[in-house]
Amino acid sequence: MEKRILIQRVKKNQDCTIGNLSVNGVFVCHTLELPWRNNEPRRSCIPAGQYEVVYREDPRSNYKYRHLHVLNVPGRSWILFHKGNYPKDTLGCILPGLSHTDSMVGESSMAFRKLMLTLEGGTSISLEILP
């Protein structure tokens, strides 16, 4: 069964982009990304579009837990879904949260766990990001 992640970006400011994430049409959590800065690595959110997502686990990385890797982002690499609360935590990645303000997401560890449980059992994962 394919799991389809949809992120609708809903709030944008000079520090970050807040979104709503659903899986197969069911709301799961909010997201925090960097603002759009012409797709600059480590300074910008990724372009809106469609992507493939795979599980990733590397005990040598900063993220010693299983997380998600977004593939084939034009001009970018190592775009991940991982835990974090503030724009400084993203480095261009996507952070989940159960709550949010205009500049952060809260309860990221719980949101990440909820996202991973929701994706369990999927044979493939796709991601669509709407502007």
Side-chain angles (χ1 to χ4, degrees):
M1 167 194 251
E2 180 186 21
K3 300 285 183 154
R4 296 176 19 166
I5 300 171
L6 174 68
I7 297 176
Q8 173 68 57
R9 292 174 172 159
V10 294
K11 291 185 181 183
K12 301 170 186 173
N13 62 45
Q14 66 185 14
D15 298 318
C16 67
T17 301
I18 300 292
N20 293 326
L21 183 151
S22 60
V23 174
N24 291 358
V26 177
F27 175 80
V28 175
C29 61
H30 304 286
T31 58
L32 183 137
E33 300 173 82
L34 291 173
W36 178 252
R37 294 183 179 129
N38 297 314
N39 201 30
E40 290 180 49
R42 298 179 163 245
R43 293 190 25 83
S44 177
C45 61
I46 63 174
Q50 296 189 15
Y51 304 98
E52 179 184 357
V53 176
V54 296
Y55 291 106
R56 179 175 185 275
E57 190 169 7
D58 182 352
R60 298 168 295 158
S61 79
N62 292 336
Y63 310 106
K64 303 205 183 310
Y65 51 87
R66 191 176 196 204
H67 52 277
L68 302 169
H69 184 182
V70 181
L71 302 178
N72 303 316
V73 178
R76 303 283 290 278
S77 61
W78 296 111
I79 303 300
L80 309 174
F81 280 82
H82 63 80
K83 301 171 195 173
N85 300 99
Y86 300 96
K88 68 178 178 62
D89 300 328
T90 71
L91 297 176
C93 295
I94 303 168
L95 309 180
L98 293 182
S99 60
H100 72 86
T101 68
D102 287 342
S103 60
M104 59 89 65
V105 289
E107 304 166 286
S108 185
S109 290
M110 290 173 61
F112 186 83
R113 195 171 317 120
K114 182 179 178 183
L115 175 59
M116 295 300 276
L117 285 170
T118 303
L119 295 173
E120 222 170 65
T123 54
S124 64
I125 304 170
S126 65
L127 168 64
E128 181 177 6
I129 299 178
L130 300 177

